[in-house]
C-alpha cells in the first residue's frame, strides 16, 4: 500500500515538473514570434517579440571578421524580457540619428525621415540639395573627417550612431560613446554581393524608424523594376564585351566574378572577361593581363579620371575597340558643385537606375526614350 502511494506521488511530481518545464519552454518560444529574413541582403535579419520588441542581428558587422552583433529594439525598455536586457538597447522609432557615411542618407530621404538626422560627416560632398540646405541652416551638424569627435556626438544625445562596417580592431574607438549609453550600429551594405542586397538595407532603416510598410513597398518597387530590366536585357542574342575601370600605375583593379559589380554586368547581359572568377570583392591584376583581356571590348565603363587626362590615358589603350569607337563612359553625370557624386548615394538604394543605364548604353534600342541617370559619355580624340 505504501509502495503504491509512493509510486503515485512520484508520478504526480514528475507530471507537475514536466508541465512546468514545458510551460517554460513554450513561454520562451513565444517570446520571439517571427523571424524576418531579407530576400537578398545577408548582413542582417531580426526577430519580432510578442511584446512590441525586436532582436536585431547584424551578421556581418566587420569587414575582416565573421561575427554577429545583437541589439534589442523597443519603444520602452520595460517591454524587453529581463534575459535580453544585457543587449545594446535602441529606442525606436529613432528621433535623433548620427551617421558617419553619406551612403546612409538616401534611405532616410526615401522614407521621409531626414528630420531625424542630426549629424554626419562629409556633408560638403553630399549630393542631395535638401541635405545641403539643412546643413547650411544648422539643422545637421558637420562631423570631422579627420577623427571621431566623441564629445560633439555625446552633446547631440543621439538615439543611435550608425557607422560603416570596418575591421573589428577599429571598433574600439567607439567605446566611450557606447559607455555613455549610445548604441553604435555597423552598416555593412557595402559588403553585400548583390545590388538588390545593398538596396534592401532600407528595410533596416524602416525597422529603426518604425516605417516597415513604407520600406517594404519601396524595396518591392525597386526589385520589380530591376527584374523587369534584367529580363529585357536577356533578349539580346549577342552580348557586347565590356572593359571596366582604370589602371593605377601597374595594377588594374576589376570586380571579382561574384561581386555586385560583376552581377550588374551579368544582369545587363554584358560579356565580362572575369565573370568566371569566384571571388566576391575586387581583383588586383597586372595592367598587361587586364589589357589583353579587354582588347576586344566594344564598351568601356566606370572610367573615372580627371578630364584633362582623358586623351592621354585612353589613347594609350587605342587597341581596345571601345577607344577606337569612342564608347567610353564614367559615372560622373550627377556631381554636386563640390564634387559629391550621387552614384555613391542615391544609386545605393536605386540599383534599377544603374542597371537601366548599363542596358541603355549597351543596347539603346531596348530603352529608346530613356535618359542616362549616372553615366555619361567621355569624348576622346586619338591621333
Amino acid at each position: 500500500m505504501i509502495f503504491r502511494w509512493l509510486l503515485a506521488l512520484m508520478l504526480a511530481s514528475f507530471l507537475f515538473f514536466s508541465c512546468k518545464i514545458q510551460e517554460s519552454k513554450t513561454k520562451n518560444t513565444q517570446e520571439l514570434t517571427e523571424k524576418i529574413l531579407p530576400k537578398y541582403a545577408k548582413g542582417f535579419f531580426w526577430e519580432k517579440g510578442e511584446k512590441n520588441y525586436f532582436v536585431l542581428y547584424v551578421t556581418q558587422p566587420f569587414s575582416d571578421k565573421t561575427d554577429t552583433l545583437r541589439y534589442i529594439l523597443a519603444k520602452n525598455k520595460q517591454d524587453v524580457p529581463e534575459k535580453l536586457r544585457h543587449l545594446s538597447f535602441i529606442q525606436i522609432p529613432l528621433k535623433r540619428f548620427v551617421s558617419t557615411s553619406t551612403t546612409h542618407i538616401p534611405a532616410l530621404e526615401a522614407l521621409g525621415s531626414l528630420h531625424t538626422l542630426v549629424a554626419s560627416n562629409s556633408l560638403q560632398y553630399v549630393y542631395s540639395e535638401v541635405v545641403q540646405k539643412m546643413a547650411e541652416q544648422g539643422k545637421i551638424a558637420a562631423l570631422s573627417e579627420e577623427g571621431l569627435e566623441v564629445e560633439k556626438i555625446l552633446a547631440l544625445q543621439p538615439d543611435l550612431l550608425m557607422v560603416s562596417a570596418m575591421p573589428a580592431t577599429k571598433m574600439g574607438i567607439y567605446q566611450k560613446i557606447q559607455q555613455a549609453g549610445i548604441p553604435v550600429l555597423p552598416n555593412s551594405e557595402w559588403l553585400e554581393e548583390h545590388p538588390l542586397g545593398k538596396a534592401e538595407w532600407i528595410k533596416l532603416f524602416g525597422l529603426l524608424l518604425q516605417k516597415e510598410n513604407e520600406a517594404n513597398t519601396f524595396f518591392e518597387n525597386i526589385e520589380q523594376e530591376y527584374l523587369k530590366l534584367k529580363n529585357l536585357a536577356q533578349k539580346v542574342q549577342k552580348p557586347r564585351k565590356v572593359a571596366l575601370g582604370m589602371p593605377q600605375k601597374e595594377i588594374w583593379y576589376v570586380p571579382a566574378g561574384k561581386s555586385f559589380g560583376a552581377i550588374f554586368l551579368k544582369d545587363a547581359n554584358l560579356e565580362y572577361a572575369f565573370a568566371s572568377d569566384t571571388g566576391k570583392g575586387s581583383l588586383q591584376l597586372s595592367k598587361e593581363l587586364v589589357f589583353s583581356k579587354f582588347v576586344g571590348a566594344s564598351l568601356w565603363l566606370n572610367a573615372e579620371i580627371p578630364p584633362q587626362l582623358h586623351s592621354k590615358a585612353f589613347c594609350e589603350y587605342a587597341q581596345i575597340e571601345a577607344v577606337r569607337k569612342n564608347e567610353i563612359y564614367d559615372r560622373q553625370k550627377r556631381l554636386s558643385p563640390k564634387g559629391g557624386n550621387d552614384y555613391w548615394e542615391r544609386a545605393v538604394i536605386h540599383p534599377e537606375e544603374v542597371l537601366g543605364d548599363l542596358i541603355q548604353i549597351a543596347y539603346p534600342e531596348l530603352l529608346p526614350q530613356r535618359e542616362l541617370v549616372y553615366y555619361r559619355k567621355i569624348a576622346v580624340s586619338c591621333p
Side-chain angles (χ1 to χ4, degrees):
M1 186 70 179
I2 295 175
F3 175 76
R4 289 182 179 179
W5 181 82
L6 288 173
L7 184 61
L9 181 62
M10 290 173 63
L11 180 59
S13 299
F14 173 77
L15 291 173
F16 174 79
F17 286 110
S18 294
C19 289
K20 285 294 183 182
I21 292 171
Q22 186 62 39
E23 180 183 340
S24 176
K25 286 183 178 180
T26 302
K27 184 178 180 181
N28 289 339
T29 302
Q30 288 177 347
E31 283 178 355
L32 294 171
T33 59
E34 184 181 6
K35 180 181 287 188
I36 310 297
L37 294 170
K39 191 172 181 179
Y40 300 90
K42 298 179 180 179
F44 71 93
F45 69 91
W46 68 81
E47 292 179 304
K48 187 175 182 180
E50 62 179 3
K51 291 186 177 180
N52 301 317
Y53 70 89
F54 305 86
V55 179
L56 171 64
Y57 299 78
V58 180
T59 56
Q60 200 173 15
F62 309 117
S63 59
D64 62 344
K65 182 180 178 182
T66 301
D67 203 349
T68 297
L69 297 180
R70 292 193 300 163
Y71 299 82
I72 195 79
L73 283 62
K75 185 176 182 180
N76 300 302
K77 199 165 186 177
Q78 55 264 36
D79 292 334
V80 179
E82 187 69 34
K83 66 178 183 179
L84 295 175
R85 292 186 184 179
H86 66 284
L87 298 178
S88 184
F89 176 70
I90 301 174
Q91 188 170 29
I92 55 174
L94 294 181
K95 295 179 180 178
R96 298 181 63 79
F97 176 79
V98 173
S99 166
T100 63
S101 174
T102 57
T103 61
H104 306 156
I105 293 176
L108 296 176
E109 192 164 8
L111 296 175
S113 296
L114 277 177
H115 63 278
T116 65
L117 182 64
V118 295
S120 182
N121 60 6
S122 304
L123 285 174
Q124 68 272 32
Y125 300 120
V126 172
Y127 182 84
S128 169
E129 293 182 0
V130 177
V131 175
Q132 288 181 20
K133 187 173 182 180
M134 290 176 67
E136 290 170 2
Q137 294 172 343
K139 295 179 180 179
I140 304 175
L143 298 178
S144 171
E145 296 178 55
E146 302 301 322
L148 186 67
E149 295 182 283
V150 175
E151 299 304 325
K152 189 172 185 177
I153 292 173
L154 293 178
L156 289 167
Q157 297 183 316
D159 302 319
L160 177 69
L161 170 62
M162 182 175 284
V163 302
S164 292
M166 64 190 72
T169 53
K170 291 189 176 182
M171 278 297 289
I173 64 175
Y174 300 107
Q175 185 175 2
K176 188 173 181 180
I177 292 175
Q178 291 172 313
Q179 289 174 343
I182 298 172
V184 177
L185 176 65
N187 181 320
S188 56
E189 54 82 10
W190 66 275
L191 294 173
E192 294 290 347
E193 299 161 15
H194 197 287
L196 287 171
K198 292 167 70 70
E200 199 168 14
W201 276 76
I202 196 170
K203 292 182 179 179
L204 175 57
F205 285 89
L207 175 65
L208 293 169
L209 297 164
Q210 288 294 273
K211 292 186 174 183
E212 292 177 73
N213 291 337
E214 294 92 326
N216 289 337
T217 299
F218 179 91
F219 180 75
E220 287 166 6
N221 291 336
I222 297 298
E223 179 192 26
Q224 182 179 357
E225 182 62 20
Y226 186 98
L227 297 178
K228 178 182 175 182
L229 288 167
K230 176 184 174 181
N231 291 334
L232 178 66
Q234 306 314 307
K235 295 180 180 180
V236 175
Q237 298 299 313
K238 190 177 180 181
R240 296 180 67 176
K241 294 181 180 180
V242 62
L244 214 65
M246 289 295 297
Q248 298 180 24
K249 296 183 178 180
E250 298 304 312
I251 301 296
W252 202 318
Y253 295 88
V254 294
K258 301 299 181 183
S259 67
F260 79 92
I263 290 174
F264 263 135
L265 300 177
K266 179 182 177 182
D267 290 348
N269 199 11
L270 290 167
E271 185 177 327
Y272 176 50
F274 301 98
S276 61
D277 177 82
T278 58
K280 298 176 181 179
S282 63
L283 303 174
Q284 302 178 33
L285 304 173
S286 71
K287 182 170 66 174
E288 291 76 14
L289 172 63
V290 176
F291 173 68
S292 69
K293 297 288 187 180
F294 285 168
V295 166
S298 62
L299 282 177
W300 193 336
L301 303 173
N302 303 358
E304 285 86 36
I305 57 172
Q308 63 270 24
L309 300 178
H310 281 172
S311 293
K312 180 181 179 182
F314 295 116
C315 293
E316 181 182 348
Y317 304 100
Q319 289 176 278
I320 295 178
E321 186 180 340
V323 178
R324 300 197 305 272
K325 291 186 174 181
N326 204 14
E327 286 286 329
I328 306 172
Y329 296 81
D330 67 17
R331 298 165 291 185
Q332 300 193 82
K333 184 176 180 179
R334 293 169 67 91
L335 295 179
S336 71
K338 294 185 179 180
N341 191 335
D342 211 20
Y343 183 86
W344 305 113
E345 291 180 35
R346 177 184 167 88
V348 173
I349 60 169
H350 280 284
E352 84 289 0
E353 293 178 342
V354 177
L355 183 61
D357 274 7
L358 297 177
I359 295 171
Q360 182 184 346
I361 290 169
Y363 314 113
E365 68 279 5
L366 295 180
L367 298 169
Q369 305 300 321
R370 187 180 182 277
E371 290 187 9
L372 293 175
V373 180
Y374 304 103
Y375 281 82
R376 65 178 184 179
K377 193 171 187 177
I378 297 174
V380 175
S381 178
C382 296

